[in-house]
Amino acid sequence: SFRNRLANNFPSIFTERTGEEPAFDRPTQFARKWGWYSAVNQIAGGDITKFDKVTELPMRTCLTYLEFKMDKADVEKSMSNSKRV
């Protein structure tokens, strides 16, 4: 189905990360509450005047961008952690 294809093409976005954080912590609850609004905000760079333009973009473009941002954040976090050790 459509959702399964999305999950396969964008695993960082649609696959739950197990073991990293408890299901009821503040960041998880924030993500559950705001979901797509948070994604639109991220793509728009926090500029509410760009929200309409973001929602007119193809979904694949938005999901690719979000996947990139998540992977980049993970790499930067990993590099930061390795420098501390």
Side-chain angles (χ1 to χ4, degrees):
S1 92
F2 179 71
R3 190 196 184 307
N4 289 339
R5 285 193 312 270
L6 285 178
N8 288 333
N9 288 329
F10 303 97
S12 295
I13 296 172
F14 293 103
T15 303
E16 287 195 35
R17 299 176 182 201
T18 57
E20 286 188 16
E21 46 189 46
F24 297 106
D25 69 355
R26 197 154 170 80
T28 302
Q29 292 305 308
F30 179 87
R32 286 181 179 162
K33 178 179 180 178
W34 293 104
W36 286 105
Y37 187 87
S38 182
V40 171
N41 181 58
Q42 173 74 22
I43 296 167
D47 184 348
I48 195 168
T49 64
K50 295 179 182 176
F51 280 29
D52 285 338
K53 288 184 179 183
V54 168
T55 60
E56 293 172 3
L57 292 170
M59 184 183 297
R60 185 167 193 78
T61 300
C62 295
L63 294 175
T64 300
Y65 177 78
L66 292 172
E67 182 94 4
F68 166 79
K69 293 288 282 186
M70 290 174 74
D71 287 350
K72 183 179 179 199
D74 286 345
V75 168
E76 290 172 349
K77 181 180 177 182
S78 176
M79 289 174 61
S80 177
N81 288 342
S82 68
K83 288 181 183 178
R84 291 182 198 171
V85 175

